[in-house]
Amino acid sequence: MTQYIEDSAVQAQLELCKKIEEKLKEIYGEEKPGFYIQTLGCQQNEADSERMAGLASLMGYVPVNDPEKARLIFINTCAIREHAETRALSFIGEYKHIKDKYPETIIGVGGCMVTQQHRADRIKHSYPYVSFTFDTGALHLLPELVWGAMNKKSRRFVISDKYEIAENIPIYREKPFKSWLSIMYGCNNFCSYCIVPYVRGRERSRTPDAILKEARELVALGAKDITLLGQNVNSYGKDTGGMDIAQLMREICKIEGDFRLRFMTSHPKDASDDLIAVMAEEEKVVPHFHLPVQSGSDKILKAMNRRYTAEKYMGIIERLKKSVPDVSITSDIIVGFPGETDEDFEMTLKMMEEVRYDMVFSFIYSPRVGTPAAAMENQIPHSVSSERMNRLLKLQDEISLERNERFVGKVLRVLTEDVSKNNSSMMTGKADAPRPIHFEGDSSMIGEYKNILITSADKYSLRGEIKE
Ligand code: SAH
Ligand code: SF4
Ligand code: F3S
């Protein structure tokens, strides 16, 4: 059964925000101090950062784009691969000079990396200017942690081991038109390479009522693109015995408004025909399925504890393509898992050729402390993995280009998200898959749908022009 943090405990934290606000006025006068959040990792972390930002705003801080100008800095860390942890540590190192220059700055480190004891210990000992760390289940304690730091109480390194759900934490959404909606937290799957179940706890589903209420609020606030989030959304409701993901999505689609609905991530062992039917039948559901396969070899899938075979996976893909014509399919693939032979890797390439993914997010296997795969024999040398990776990327580039070219000459409904990075007269948006679409426009279009006639394609993106 899902455990909820008592609302009175959450309310007490929110009350504390008022005291912090008063104290900030004493220190900084009428000009509100800034807060800055550095977010690493997946959408779940982005959603958590929006709640950290919600709490920081309630405390009386205002968002700033430059950490130098912030007197409250959070680093929301990821532990999925070594690279993610190295980046987090380097950000923490970088912020030392800010603390030196402005000693009143409060620096807190949260998220998946510091939910591991050995990492929290390392921060404690090697980064004395960090005021506190907080695990993924302790986000609602931020007011008390900040209050403690403001009042020069001793440093805290919270690993609560309690993974409950805290409802009613304020959310600060930078782009209200594009919203994350967490429907569940945690993961029960224990894929043998993965740290997530250790740092996010067991699966906990929010109630349909809480989710539907939030979805209605989002639409009322102008959300045009809503992504239901969870590590394995296909098992939504299994812990509570309530609605499943397909039923939940049908209920959300009944909300009136011009928005589209997505979900991620799906585990192939639980991907149901009902979910495929929802995608086929509900107009609001985007025809994009992110279905990470990880490997095309049954031997490797077994060693990964994925609990499906390549054949079963291909069966889902076949049914999906039949029911949802022109669906965009994307995947995650790990290269160089312990024991992966050339033959195993060839099977992965063969599967990619058969499925013809729109996009693939591929990763070289990275051993994670405490996971079974890290202790497996036959770890693959980096030189072998990176050579395989290059072959995979080359193949996927060809497939992506072919998949993208199918849109040339078609009109797509694109949600405008941003001004292009290197050209201020170009806008960037998305249609179905997370593939950028560039077109001429101006920033007043951000958050609006535009019909875009696609004029050209390359392997990573599409280009087009507005067609009214
Ligand atoms: N819950 C999601 C994904 C979570 S992590 C799912 O099950 O699909 C995102 C991706 O990171 C995974 O799909 C996997 O491809 C990759 N990943 C996870 N652990 C990894 C590791 N130790 N080394 C390399 N890649 C990893
Ligand atoms: Fe990690 Fe597997 Fe859970 Fe995804 S399903 S978060 S890969 S353990
Ligand atoms: Fe990273 Fe944690 Fe997400 S480990 S990928 S931020 S769940």
Side-chain angles (χ1 to χ4, degrees):
M1 209 37 213
T2 304
Q3 297 287 314
Y4 285 87
I5 293 169
E6 271 202 39
D7 203 43
S8 57
V10 176
Q11 289 309 323
Q13 295 288 334
L14 302 186
E15 284 295 312
L16 193 51
C17 291
K18 288 189 197 145
K19 274 173 78 178
I20 295 174
E21 191 173 19
E22 279 163 28
K23 182 131 181 152
L24 288 181
K25 275 194 190 135
E26 277 170 33
I27 306 172
Y28 298 100
E30 281 310 307
E31 199 175 329
K32 290 184 169 193
F35 76 85
Y36 181 85
I37 304 179
Q38 179 64 57
T39 308
L40 296 136
C42 65
Q43 292 82 1
Q44 197 75 66
N45 258 18
E46 288 183 25
D48 283 350
S49 288
E50 291 183 339
R51 295 196 294 157
M52 294 179 193
L55 286 168
S57 304
L58 197 64
M59 292 174 206
Y61 291 90
V62 289
V64 289
N65 292 327
D66 176 4
E68 283 265 343
K69 298 204 176 97
R71 297 292 71 88
L72 176 67
I73 299 177
F74 295 139
I75 301 122
N76 193 5
T77 63
C78 169
I80 201 80
R81 284 169 289 275
E82 194 181 345
H83 179 64
E85 298 200 317
T86 317
R87 278 191 70 206
L89 293 171
S90 101
F91 277 118
I92 302 169
E94 221 174 90
Y95 297 149
K96 180 175 183 296
H97 81 274
I98 301 178
K99 182 83 178 179
D100 288 343
K101 210 160 150 191
Y102 308 101
E104 70 278 23
T105 309
I106 296 171
I107 301 180
V109 183
C112 295
M113 182 178 85
V114 290
T115 302
Q116 307 167 97
Q117 191 67 54
H118 69 281
R119 287 301 189 184
D121 290 346
R122 167 132 186 229
I123 304 286
K124 183 174 175 179
H125 297 120
S126 308
Y127 301 84
Y129 53 92
V130 169
S131 303
F132 53 82
T133 67
F134 53 105
D135 68 273
T136 57
L139 202 146
H140 63 290
L141 298 180
L142 276 180
E144 113 182 17
L145 291 167
V146 170
W147 181 249
M150 286 177 107
N151 291 289
K152 311 261 181 296
K153 298 258 167 57
S154 37
R155 301 164 74 212
R156 284 179 66 187
F157 303 89
V158 184
I159 296 188
S160 55
D161 275 342
K162 270 205 191 140
Y163 295 98
E164 299 160 324
I165 296 182
E167 291 286 352
N168 300 327
I169 293 189
I171 300 177
Y172 173 85
R173 299 179 197 272
E174 211 174 327
K175 289 184 183 166
F177 58 88
K178 195 176 181 211
S179 303
W180 311 119
L181 207 181
S182 295
I183 60 167
M184 60 191 301
Y185 304 94
C187 181
N188 288 354
N189 289 316
F190 289 95
C191 301
S192 62
Y193 50 81
C194 184
I195 197 73
V196 172
Y198 305 87
V199 293
R200 287 272 174 185
R202 294 296 66 71
E203 274 173 19
R204 330 179 277 288
S205 301
R206 292 176 73 196
T207 63
D209 282 353
I211 296 166
L212 283 162
K213 180 169 166 268
E214 190 172 336
R216 277 187 215 103
E217 286 167 4
L218 287 175
V219 175
L221 284 170
K224 302 262 173 63
D225 192 299
I226 300 177
T227 305
L228 305 183
L229 283 187
Q231 292 299 342
N232 174 16
V233 292
N234 302 120
S235 57
Y236 171 76
K238 284 190 182 158
D239 54 332
T240 52
M243 274 185 200
D244 65 16
I245 177 79
Q247 290 166 314
L248 178 72
M249 286 177 68
R250 288 201 196 272
E251 288 303 311
I252 296 175
C253 287
K254 285 183 194 157
I255 299 172
E256 262 180 56
D258 185 14
F259 68 93
R260 56 192 187 190
L261 188 62
R262 308 167 182 273
F263 55 95
M264 71 185 309
T265 299
S266 294
H267 193 303
K269 85 178 159 56
D270 303 309
S272 69
D273 288 347
D274 272 356
L275 186 56
I276 295 178
V278 170
M279 190 176 279
E281 290 160 19
E282 294 286 349
E283 217 172 296
K284 286 184 169 120
V285 176
V286 178
H288 166 220
F289 216 113
H290 182 59
L291 195 62
V293 69
Q294 314 297 358
S295 168
S297 150
D298 285 347
K299 182 193 93 189
I300 296 297
L301 287 171
K302 189 153 197 287
M304 287 176 164
N305 192 30
R306 288 291 285 182
R307 285 174 282 177
Y308 54 83
T309 58
E311 192 186 344
K312 178 170 175 210
Y313 182 88
M314 286 309 292
I316 304 170
I317 297 289
E318 220 169 278
R319 291 198 295 284
L320 180 59
K321 285 182 176 171
K322 208 183 266 170
S323 308
V324 189
D326 213 27
V327 63
S328 289
I329 307 173
T330 55
S331 191
D332 295 346
I333 291 178
I334 295 179
V335 175
F337 184 82
E340 184 187 73
T341 61
D342 285 339
E343 291 73 46
D344 294 318
F345 179 63
E346 292 298 334
M347 290 183 212
T348 301
L349 296 182
K350 187 165 154 266
M351 180 176 263
M352 288 166 58
E353 280 181 16
E354 281 172 32
V355 178
R356 310 204 81 71
Y357 293 111
D358 282 66
M359 295 164 90
V360 166
F361 303 89
S362 47
F363 312 101
I364 290 184
Y365 167 71
S366 168
R368 306 284 68 214
V369 174
T371 60
M376 285 178 188
E377 287 171 10
N378 304 322
Q379 300 283 327
I380 306 295
H382 190 77
S383 56
V384 175
S385 300
S386 59
E387 202 202 307
R388 286 180 189 162
M389 178 60 106
N390 288 339
R391 284 185 61 200
L392 183 151
L393 291 174
K394 189 163 170 281
L395 172 63
Q396 185 54 41
D397 280 355
E398 289 163 22
I399 299 174
S400 294
L401 179 62
E402 169 204 298
R403 295 294 293 157
N404 286 349
E405 279 174 341
R406 82 190 194 275
F407 293 114
V408 175
K410 289 195 177 141
V411 175
L412 300 182
R413 193 153 188 258
V414 175
L415 181 61
T416 319
E417 289 186 9
D418 237 323
V419 180
S420 282
K421 282 203 185 77
N422 19 14
N423 183 347
S424 62
S425 66
M426 294 296 281
M427 305 305 293
T428 302
K430 307 240 165 65
D432 51 358
R435 159 202 320 104
I437 301 175
H438 305 292
F439 54 94
E440 230 170 83
D442 62 69
S443 59
S444 70
M445 294 169 184
I446 292 177
E448 283 180 16
Y449 281 117
K450 292 284 168 199
N451 290 324
I452 303 293
L453 171 68
I454 303 301
T455 50
S456 68
D458 63 33
K459 55 195 182 203
Y460 302 126
S461 63
L462 303 176
R463 248 169 198 274
E465 53 201 41
I466 297 175
K467 196 166 160 55
E468 287 313 332

